[in-house]
């Protein structure tokens, strides 16, 4: 089981690296607005979840989505002094 967990963690790490590289490419090329992506992720986090779903699984996914929103926001957006909204870096 430990080998399986290591392999899964390695796959997750590799996928995250690829996702971050693709994200950089599509944002820099103008094909993706990071503000819109963060908004969609935040909407998912705020949305009600199905009652029949496993609460621990829902919580884990919600935390991951929120973490991605934070990462994208921190990398591509900034909060300005005159506005609580995020603006492009």
């Amino acid at each position: 089981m430990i080998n399986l967990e290591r392999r899964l963690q390695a796959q997750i790490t590799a996928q995250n690296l690829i996702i971050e590289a693709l994200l950089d490419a599509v944002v820099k090329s103008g094909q993706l607005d990071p503000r819109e992506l963060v908004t969609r992720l935040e909407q998912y986090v705020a949305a009600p979840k199905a009652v029949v779903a496993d609460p621990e699984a829902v919580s884990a996914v919600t935390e991951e989505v929120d973490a991605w929103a934070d990462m994208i926001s921190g990398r591509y957006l900034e909060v300005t002094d005159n506005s609580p909204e995020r603006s492009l870096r």
Side-chain angles (χ1 to χ4, degrees):
M1 192 64 163
I2 291 175
N3 281 341
L4 177 60
E5 289 175 8
R6 284 186 190 145
R7 286 182 36 214
L8 288 173
Q9 186 58 48
Q11 287 177 352
I12 290 168
T13 300
Q15 290 169 357
N16 282 343
L17 293 170
I18 292 168
I19 290 168
E20 287 182 30
L22 292 170
L23 184 60
D24 275 342
V26 296
V27 168
K28 288 177 181 173
S29 70
Q31 294 179 330
L32 177 69
D33 179 0
R35 185 180 298 112
E36 288 181 21
L37 178 56
V38 169
T39 298
R40 289 182 70 185
L41 295 175
E42 289 172 341
Q43 287 172 347
Y44 173 83
V45 170
K49 308 302 185 271
V51 177
V52 295
D54 175 10
E56 289 182 19
V58 169
S59 178
V61 170
T62 300
E63 288 175 13
E64 286 298 315
V65 170
D66 196 37
W68 276 96
D70 287 345
M71 184 275 295
I72 294 164
S73 178
R75 183 174 288 179
Y76 301 105
L77 306 174
E78 64 184 22
V79 176
T80 60
D81 290 340
N82 58 359
S83 172
E85 296 178 18
R86 297 175 174 132
S87 60
L88 287 176
R89 281 192 176 177

